Amino acid sequence: MNADKRWIERVIQMAVDNVERGEDPFAALVVRGDRVVGSGINCTHQSHDPSAHAELLAIREACRTLETPDLSDCELYASGEPCPMCMGAIYWAKLGAVYYACGKADAADGAGFGDPLHSFYADMAGPLEKRSIPMRKMDSDRKLEPFRVWKERQARADGEHT
């Protein structure tokens, strides 16, 4: 892991510039070695898309640039501590490390930035029946069909490579 202060300083400036454009104070870079392979700024208001977070956009760009969903040889630098949604993408992308400048408590307490993360984390950690957004499993005799087809396709692909 090769944390580099210049990347943190760069994402902080990107976040400041983003606020000047009327967006939220978040920016992110995905770096491989000494090269930026993905960058993003929050554009949730402009795009009317609650998933348009800096980290997700940077990860998407890095995956397109490198033509792989595996970013294990990359690091993510973010102006703020990633939210649960972004952390999900970080885990799926297998990023090698994450560095951030401002923690969620700092943003909420020190800067007055409304922080729903505490409630998100608590809500998601609770049992399904107690969550603020109802989640109910619906049964179907076909529920495993997509996974059966996927497994068959994987087996065929493995057979083609032997």
Side-chain angles (χ1 to χ4, degrees):
M1 291 182 215
N2 185 23
D4 192 327
K5 189 167 171 52
R6 70 182 153 149
W7 301 125
I8 283 293
E9 295 302 327
R10 185 165 165 187
V11 295
I12 290 169
Q13 187 57 54
M14 290 168 61
V16 169
D17 295 344
N18 204 37
V19 171
E20 295 295 329
R21 286 188 291 275
E23 280 288 347
D24 290 331
F26 301 104
L29 294 171
V30 175
V31 176
R32 180 198 236 180
D34 200 34
R35 177 178 160 228
V36 174
V37 293
S39 67
I41 53 174
N42 267 47
C43 58
T44 58
H45 303 292
Q46 173 191 354
S47 66
H48 309 291
D49 178 356
S51 71
H53 285 202
E55 297 90 338
L56 291 178
L57 299 174
I59 288 168
R60 289 173 186 156
E61 184 177 300
C63 290
R64 281 191 306 272
T65 299
L66 300 173
E67 297 180 338
T68 180
D70 183 348
L71 301 178
S72 56
D73 60 348
C74 299
E75 299 169 333
L76 184 131
Y77 292 82
S79 59
E81 183 176 353
C83 75
M85 176 177 65
C86 294
M87 284 304 301
I90 287 165
Y91 279 105
W92 279 108
K94 302 177 188 129
L95 276 146
V98 175
Y99 303 98
Y100 63 91
C102 187
K104 62 182 180 262
D106 295 328
D109 300 337
F113 187 84
D115 185 8
L117 294 181
H118 296 294
S119 62
F120 286 173
Y121 284 115
D123 198 61
M124 289 188 302
L128 290 176
E129 64 276 2
K130 300 222 181 209
R131 292 186 183 170
S132 63
I133 298 175
M135 294 188 65
R136 294 177 182 84
K137 181 179 177 194
M138 296 184 69
D139 203 16
S140 168
D141 292 339
R142 298 181 60 215
K143 66 186 173 195
L144 291 175
E145 186 175 342
F147 299 96
R148 180 188 53 74
V149 172
W150 175 82
K151 186 175 181 181
E152 289 170 1
R153 183 180 171 121
Q154 292 297 109
R156 281 195 310 272
D158 288 345
E160 293 170 2
H161 297 304
T162 58

Coordinates of all heavy atoms in Angstrom, one line a residue, residues 43-115:
C43 N -22.4 13.8 -8.2 CA -23.3 14.6 -9.1 C -24.7 14.1 -8.9 O -25.5 14.0 -9.9 CB -22.8 14.6 -10.5 SG -22.7 12.9 -11.2
T44 N -25.1 13.9 -7.7 CA -26.4 13.4 -7.4 C -27.5 14.4 -7.7 O -28.6 14.0 -8.1 CB -26.6 12.9 -5.9 OG1 -26.3 14.0 -5.1 CG2 -25.6 11.8 -5.6
H45 N -27.3 15.7 -7.5 CA -28.3 16.7 -7.7 C -28.4 17.0 -9.2 O -29.5 17.0 -9.7 CB -27.9 18.0 -6.9 CG -27.8 17.7 -5.5 ND1 -28.9 17.4 -4.7 CD2 -26.7 17.8 -4.7 CE1 -28.5 17.2 -3.4 NE2 -27.2 17.4 -3.4
Q46 N -27.3 17.1 -9.9 CA -27.3 17.4 -11.3 C -27.9 16.3 -12.1 O -28.7 16.5 -13.0 CB -25.9 17.7 -11.8 CG -25.8 17.8 -13.3 CD -24.3 17.8 -13.7 OE1 -23.4 17.8 -12.9 NE2 -24.1 17.8 -15.0
S47 N -27.6 15.0 -11.7 CA -28.1 13.9 -12.5 C -29.4 13.3 -12.0 O -29.9 12.4 -12.6 CB -27.0 12.8 -12.4 OG -26.9 12.3 -11.1
H48 N -29.8 13.8 -10.8 CA -31.1 13.3 -10.2 C -30.9 11.8 -9.9 O -31.9 11.0 -10.1 CB -32.3 13.6 -11.0 CG -32.4 15.0 -11.4 ND1 -32.7 16.0 -10.5 CD2 -32.3 15.6 -12.6 CE1 -32.7 17.2 -11.1 NE2 -32.5 16.9 -12.4
D49 N -29.7 11.4 -9.5 CA -29.4 10.0 -9.4 C -28.7 9.8 -8.0 O -27.6 10.2 -7.8 CB -28.4 9.5 -10.5 CG -28.0 8.1 -10.3 OD1 -28.3 7.4 -9.4 OD2 -27.2 7.6 -11.2
P50 N -29.4 9.2 -7.0 CA -28.8 9.0 -5.7 C -27.6 8.1 -5.7 O -26.9 8.1 -4.7 CB -30.0 8.5 -4.9 CG -30.9 7.8 -5.9 CD -30.7 8.6 -7.1
S51 N -27.4 7.4 -6.7 CA -26.2 6.5 -6.8 C -25.0 7.2 -7.4 O -23.9 6.5 -7.5 CB -26.5 5.2 -7.5 OG -26.6 5.4 -8.9
A52 N -25.1 8.4 -7.8 CA -24.0 9.1 -8.5 C -23.0 9.7 -7.5 O -22.7 10.9 -7.5 CB -24.5 10.2 -9.4
H53 N -22.4 8.8 -6.7 CA -21.4 9.2 -5.7 C -20.1 9.1 -6.4 O -19.8 8.3 -7.3 CB -21.5 8.2 -4.5 CG -22.6 8.5 -3.6 ND1 -22.6 8.1 -2.3 CD2 -23.8 9.1 -3.8 CE1 -23.8 8.4 -1.7 NE2 -24.5 9.0 -2.6
A54 N -19.2 9.9 -5.8 CA -17.8 10.1 -6.4 C -17.1 8.7 -6.4 O -16.5 8.4 -7.5 CB -17.0 11.0 -5.5
E55 N -17.2 7.9 -5.4 CA -16.5 6.7 -5.3 C -17.0 5.7 -6.4 O -16.2 5.0 -7.1 CB -16.6 6.0 -3.9 CG -16.0 6.8 -2.8 CD -17.0 7.8 -2.2 OE1 -18.0 8.2 -2.8 OE2 -16.7 8.2 -1.0
L56 N -18.3 5.6 -6.5 CA -18.9 4.7 -7.6 C -18.5 5.1 -9.0 O -18.2 4.3 -9.8 CB -20.4 4.7 -7.5 CG -21.0 4.1 -6.2 CD1 -22.5 4.2 -6.2 CD2 -20.6 2.6 -6.1
L57 N -18.5 6.4 -9.2 CA -18.2 6.9 -10.6 C -16.7 6.7 -10.8 O -16.3 6.3 -11.9 CB -18.5 8.4 -10.7 CG -20.0 8.7 -10.6 CD1 -20.2 10.2 -10.6 CD2 -20.8 8.0 -11.6
A58 N -15.8 6.9 -9.8 CA -14.4 6.6 -10.0 C -14.1 5.1 -10.2 O -13.3 4.7 -11.1 CB -13.6 7.1 -8.8
I59 N -14.8 4.2 -9.5 CA -14.7 2.8 -9.7 C -15.2 2.4 -11.1 O -14.5 1.6 -11.7 CB -15.5 2.0 -8.6 CG1 -14.7 2.2 -7.2 CG2 -15.6 0.6 -8.9 CD1 -15.5 1.7 -6.0
R60 N -16.3 2.9 -11.5 CA -16.8 2.5 -12.8 C -15.8 2.9 -13.9 O -15.5 2.2 -14.8 CB -18.1 3.2 -13.1 CG -19.3 2.7 -12.3 CD -20.5 3.5 -12.5 NE -21.6 3.0 -11.6 CZ -22.6 3.8 -11.2 NH1 -22.7 5.0 -11.6 NH2 -23.5 3.3 -10.4
E61 N -15.3 4.1 -13.8 CA -14.3 4.6 -14.8 C -13.0 3.8 -14.8 O -12.5 3.4 -15.8 CB -14.0 6.1 -14.6 CG -13.0 6.6 -15.7 CD -12.8 8.1 -15.5 OE1 -13.7 8.9 -15.5 OE2 -11.6 8.5 -15.3
A62 N -12.6 3.4 -13.6 CA -11.4 2.6 -13.5 C -11.6 1.2 -14.1 O -10.7 0.7 -14.8 CB -10.9 2.5 -12.0
C63 N -12.7 0.6 -13.8 CA -13.0 -0.7 -14.4 C -13.1 -0.6 -15.9 O -12.6 -1.5 -16.6 CB -14.3 -1.2 -13.8 SG -14.2 -1.7 -12.1
R64 N -13.7 0.4 -16.5 CA -13.7 0.6 -17.9 C -12.3 0.8 -18.5 O -11.9 0.2 -19.5 CB -14.6 1.8 -18.3 CG -16.1 1.5 -18.3 CD -16.9 2.6 -19.0 NE -16.6 3.9 -18.4 CZ -17.2 4.5 -17.4 NH1 -18.2 3.8 -16.8 NH2 -16.9 5.7 -17.0
T65 N -11.5 1.7 -17.8 CA -10.2 2.0 -18.3 C -9.3 0.7 -18.3 O -8.6 0.4 -19.2 CB -9.5 3.0 -17.4 OG1 -10.3 4.2 -17.4 CG2 -8.1 3.3 -17.7
L66 N -9.4 -0.1 -17.2 CA -8.5 -1.3 -17.1 C -9.2 -2.5 -17.7 O -8.6 -3.6 -17.7 CB -8.2 -1.5 -15.6 CG -7.4 -0.4 -14.9 CD1 -7.3 -0.6 -13.4 CD2 -6.1 -0.1 -15.6
E67 N -10.4 -2.4 -18.1 CA -11.2 -3.5 -18.7 C -11.3 -4.7 -17.7 O -11.0 -5.9 -18.2 CB -10.6 -3.9 -20.0 CG -10.8 -2.7 -21.0 CD -10.2 -3.1 -22.4 OE1 -9.4 -4.0 -22.5 OE2 -10.6 -2.4 -23.4
T68 N -11.6 -4.5 -16.5 CA -11.7 -5.5 -15.5 C -12.5 -5.0 -14.3 O -12.5 -3.8 -14.0 CB -10.3 -6.0 -15.0 OG1 -10.5 -7.1 -14.0 CG2 -9.5 -4.9 -14.3
P69 N -13.3 -5.9 -13.7 CA -14.0 -5.5 -12.4 C -13.1 -5.7 -11.2 O -13.5 -5.4 -10.1 CB -15.2 -6.5 -12.4 CG -14.7 -7.7 -13.1 CD -13.7 -7.2 -14.2
D70 N -11.9 -6.2 -11.4 CA -11.0 -6.5 -10.3 C -10.0 -5.4 -10.1 O -9.1 -5.3 -10.9 CB -10.3 -7.8 -10.5 CG -9.4 -8.2 -9.4 OD1 -9.1 -7.4 -8.5 OD2 -8.9 -9.4 -9.4
L71 N -10.1 -4.6 -9.1 CA -9.2 -3.4 -8.9 C -8.3 -3.7 -7.7 O -7.9 -2.8 -7.0 CB -10.0 -2.1 -8.6 CG -11.0 -1.7 -9.8 CD1 -11.7 -0.5 -9.4 CD2 -10.2 -1.5 -11.1
S72 N -8.0 -4.9 -7.4 CA -7.2 -5.3 -6.3 C -5.8 -4.7 -6.3 O -5.1 -4.6 -5.3 CB -7.1 -6.8 -6.1 OG -6.6 -7.4 -7.3
D73 N -5.3 -4.3 -7.5 CA -4.0 -3.7 -7.6 C -4.1 -2.1 -7.6 O -3.2 -1.5 -8.0 CB -3.2 -4.2 -8.8 CG -3.9 -3.9 -10.1 OD1 -5.1 -3.6 -10.1 OD2 -3.3 -4.1 -11.1
C74 N -5.2 -1.6 -7.2 CA -5.5 -0.2 -7.2 C -5.8 0.3 -5.7 O -6.2 -0.5 -4.9 CB -6.7 0.2 -8.1 SG -6.4 -0.3 -9.8
E75 N -5.7 1.6 -5.6 CA -6.1 2.2 -4.3 C -7.2 3.3 -4.6 O -7.1 4.0 -5.6 CB -4.9 2.9 -3.6 CG -3.8 1.8 -3.3 CD -2.5 2.5 -2.9 OE1 -2.2 3.6 -3.3 OE2 -1.8 1.8 -2.1
L76 N -8.1 3.5 -3.7 CA -9.1 4.6 -3.8 C -8.8 5.7 -2.8 O -8.5 5.4 -1.6 CB -10.5 4.0 -3.6 CG -11.6 5.1 -3.8 CD1 -12.7 4.5 -4.7 CD2 -12.2 5.5 -2.5
Y77 N -8.8 6.9 -3.3 CA -8.6 8.1 -2.4 C -9.9 8.9 -2.5 O -10.4 9.1 -3.6 CB -7.4 9.0 -2.9 CG -6.1 8.3 -2.8 CD1 -5.6 7.4 -3.7 CD2 -5.3 8.6 -1.7 CE1 -4.4 6.8 -3.5 CE2 -4.1 8.0 -1.5 CZ -3.6 7.1 -2.4 OH -2.4 6.4 -2.3
A78 N -10.5 9.2 -1.3 CA -11.7 9.9 -1.3 C -11.7 11.1 -0.3 O -11.0 11.0 0.7 CB -12.8 8.9 -0.8
S79 N -12.4 12.1 -0.6 CA -12.4 13.3 0.2 C -13.2 13.0 1.5 O -12.9 13.6 2.5 CB -13.1 14.5 -0.5 OG -14.4 14.1 -0.9
G80 N -14.1 12.1 1.5 CA -14.9 11.8 2.7 C -15.0 10.2 2.9 O -14.8 9.5 1.9
E81 N -15.2 9.8 4.1 CA -15.4 8.4 4.4 C -16.5 7.8 3.5 O -17.6 8.4 3.5 CB -15.7 8.2 5.9 CG -15.7 6.8 6.3 CD -15.9 6.7 7.8 OE1 -15.8 7.7 8.5 OE2 -16.1 5.5 8.3
P82 N -16.3 6.8 2.8 CA -17.3 6.2 1.9 C -18.5 5.7 2.7 O -18.4 5.2 3.8 CB -16.6 5.0 1.3 CG -15.1 5.4 1.3 CD -15.0 6.1 2.6
C83 N -19.7 5.9 2.1 CA -21.0 5.5 2.6 C -21.1 4.0 2.4 O -20.3 3.4 1.8 CB -22.1 6.3 2.0 SG -22.5 5.7 0.3
P84 N -22.2 3.4 3.0 CA -22.4 2.0 2.9 C -22.5 1.5 1.4 O -22.0 0.5 1.0 CB -23.7 1.7 3.6 CG -23.8 2.8 4.6 CD -23.2 4.0 4.0
M85 N -23.2 2.3 0.6 CA -23.4 2.0 -0.8 C -22.0 1.9 -1.5 O -21.7 1.0 -2.2 CB -24.3 3.0 -1.5 CG -24.4 2.8 -3.0 SD -25.6 4.0 -3.8 CE -24.7 5.5 -3.6
C86 N -21.2 2.9 -1.3 CA -19.9 3.0 -1.9 C -19.0 1.9 -1.3 O -18.2 1.3 -2.1 CB -19.2 4.3 -1.7 SG -20.1 5.6 -2.6
M87 N -19.1 1.6 0.0 CA -18.3 0.5 0.5 C -18.7 -0.8 -0.1 O -17.8 -1.7 -0.4 CB -18.5 0.4 2.1 CG -17.8 1.5 2.8 SD -16.0 1.5 2.5 CE -15.5 -0.2 3.0
G88 N -19.9 -1.0 -0.5 CA -20.3 -2.2 -1.2 C -19.6 -2.4 -2.5 O -19.0 -3.4 -2.8
A89 N -19.5 -1.3 -3.2 CA -18.8 -1.3 -4.5 C -17.3 -1.5 -4.3 O -16.6 -2.2 -5.1 CB -19.1 0.0 -5.3
I90 N -16.8 -0.9 -3.3 CA -15.3 -1.0 -2.9 C -15.0 -2.5 -2.7 O -14.0 -3.0 -3.2 CB -15.0 -0.1 -1.7 CG1 -14.9 1.3 -2.2 CG2 -13.6 -0.6 -1.1 CD1 -14.9 2.3 -1.1
Y91 N -15.9 -3.2 -1.9 CA -15.6 -4.6 -1.7 C -15.8 -5.4 -2.9 O -15.0 -6.3 -3.2 CB -16.6 -5.1 -0.6 CG -16.1 -4.8 0.8 CD1 -16.7 -3.8 1.6 CD2 -15.0 -5.5 1.4 CE1 -16.2 -3.5 2.9 CE2 -14.6 -5.3 2.6 CZ -15.2 -4.3 3.4 OH -14.7 -4.0 4.6
W92 N -16.9 -5.1 -3.7 CA -17.1 -5.9 -5.0 C -15.9 -5.7 -5.9 O -15.5 -6.6 -6.7 CB -18.4 -5.5 -5.7 CG -19.6 -6.2 -5.1 CD1 -20.5 -5.6 -4.3 CD2 -19.9 -7.6 -5.2 NE1 -21.5 -6.6 -3.9 CE2 -21.1 -7.8 -4.5 CE3 -19.3 -8.7 -5.8 CZ2 -21.7 -9.0 -4.4 CZ3 -20.0 -9.9 -5.8 CH2 -21.1 -10.1 -5.0
A93 N -15.3 -4.5 -6.0 CA -14.2 -4.2 -6.9 C -12.9 -4.7 -6.3 O -11.8 -4.7 -7.0 CB -14.1 -2.7 -7.1
K94 N -12.9 -5.1 -5.1 CA -11.7 -5.7 -4.4 C -10.5 -4.7 -4.3 O -9.4 -5.1 -4.5 CB -11.2 -7.0 -5.1 CG -12.3 -8.1 -5.1 CD -11.8 -9.3 -5.9 CE -12.9 -10.3 -6.1 NZ -13.0 -10.7 -7.5
L95 N -10.8 -3.4 -4.1 CA -9.8 -2.4 -4.1 C -8.7 -2.8 -3.0 O -9.0 -3.3 -2.0 CB -10.3 -1.1 -3.8 CG -10.8 -0.4 -5.1 CD1 -12.0 0.5 -4.8 CD2 -9.7 0.4 -5.7
G96 N -7.5 -2.5 -3.4 CA -6.3 -2.9 -2.5 C -6.3 -2.1 -1.2 O -5.9 -2.6 -0.2
A97 N -6.8 -0.8 -1.2 CA -6.8 0.0 -0.1 C -7.7 1.2 -0.3 O -7.9 1.6 -1.5 CB -5.4 0.5 0.3
V98 N -8.2 1.8 0.8 CA -9.0 3.0 0.7 C -8.4 4.1 1.6 O -8.1 3.7 2.8 CB -10.5 2.8 1.0 CG1 -11.3 4.0 1.1 CG2 -11.1 1.8 0.1
Y99 N -8.2 5.3 1.2 CA -7.7 6.4 2.0 C -8.7 7.5 1.9 O -9.2 7.8 0.8 CB -6.3 6.9 1.5 CG -5.3 5.8 1.5 CD1 -5.0 5.1 0.3 CD2 -4.7 5.4 2.7 CE1 -4.1 4.1 0.3 CE2 -3.7 4.4 2.6 CZ -3.4 3.7 1.5 OH -2.5 2.7 1.4
Y100 N -9.1 8.1 3.0 CA -10.1 9.2 3.0 C -9.6 10.3 3.9 O -8.9 10.1 4.8 CB -11.5 8.7 3.3 CG -11.6 8.2 4.7 CD1 -12.0 9.0 5.8 CD2 -11.4 6.8 5.0 CE1 -12.1 8.5 7.0 CE2 -11.5 6.3 6.2 CZ -11.9 7.2 7.3 OH -12.0 6.7 8.5
A101 N -10.1 11.5 3.6 CA -9.6 12.7 4.3 C -10.5 13.0 5.5 O -10.0 13.3 6.6 CB -9.6 13.9 3.4
C102 N -11.8 13.0 5.3 CA -12.7 13.5 6.4 C -13.7 12.3 6.8 O -14.4 11.8 5.9 CB -13.6 14.7 5.8 SG -14.6 15.4 7.1
G103 N -13.6 12.0 8.1 CA -14.5 10.9 8.6 C -16.0 11.4 8.7 O -16.2 12.6 8.7
K104 N -16.9 10.5 8.7 CA -18.3 10.8 8.8 C -18.6 11.6 10.0 O -19.5 12.5 10.0 CB -19.2 9.6 8.6 CG -19.0 8.5 9.7 CD -19.9 7.3 9.4 CE -19.8 6.3 10.4 NZ -18.9 5.2 10.1
A105 N -18.0 11.3 11.1 CA -18.3 12.1 12.4 C -17.8 13.5 12.2 O -18.4 14.5 12.7 CB -17.7 11.4 13.6
D106 N -16.6 13.6 11.6 CA -16.0 15.0 11.4 C -17.0 15.8 10.5 O -17.2 17.0 10.8 CB -14.7 14.9 10.7 CG -13.6 14.3 11.5 OD1 -13.7 14.4 12.8 OD2 -12.7 13.6 11.0
A107 N -17.5 15.2 9.5 CA -18.4 15.9 8.5 C -19.7 16.3 9.2 O -20.2 17.5 9.0 CB -18.7 15.1 7.3
A108 N -20.2 15.5 10.1 CA -21.4 15.8 10.8 C -21.2 16.8 11.9 O -21.9 17.8 12.0 CB -22.0 14.5 11.3
D109 N -20.2 16.5 12.8 CA -20.0 17.4 13.9 C -19.3 18.7 13.6 O -19.7 19.7 14.0 CB -19.2 16.6 15.0 CG -20.0 15.3 15.5 OD1 -21.2 15.3 15.3 OD2 -19.3 14.4 16.0
G110 N -18.2 18.5 12.9 CA -17.3 19.7 12.7 C -17.8 20.6 11.6 O -17.6 21.8 11.6
A111 N -18.4 20.0 10.5 CA -18.8 20.8 9.4 C -20.3 21.0 9.3 O -20.8 21.8 8.4 CB -18.3 20.2 8.1
G112 N -21.1 20.4 10.1 CA -22.5 20.5 10.1 C -23.2 19.8 8.8 O -24.3 20.1 8.5
F113 N -22.4 19.0 8.2 CA -23.0 18.2 7.0 C -23.9 17.1 7.6 O -23.5 16.3 8.3 CB -21.8 17.6 6.2 CG -22.3 17.0 4.9 CD1 -22.5 17.8 3.8 CD2 -22.6 15.7 4.8 CE1 -22.9 17.3 2.6 CE2 -23.0 15.1 3.6 CZ -23.2 15.9 2.5
G114 N -25.1 17.2 7.2 CA -26.1 16.2 7.7 C -25.6 14.8 7.3 O -25.3 14.5 6.2
D115 N -25.5 14.0 8.3 CA -25.0 12.7 8.2 C -26.0 11.6 8.5 O -26.2 11.2 9.6 CB -23.7 12.5 9.1 CG -23.0 11.2 8.9 OD1 -23.3 10.5 7.9 OD2 -22.1 10.9 9.7

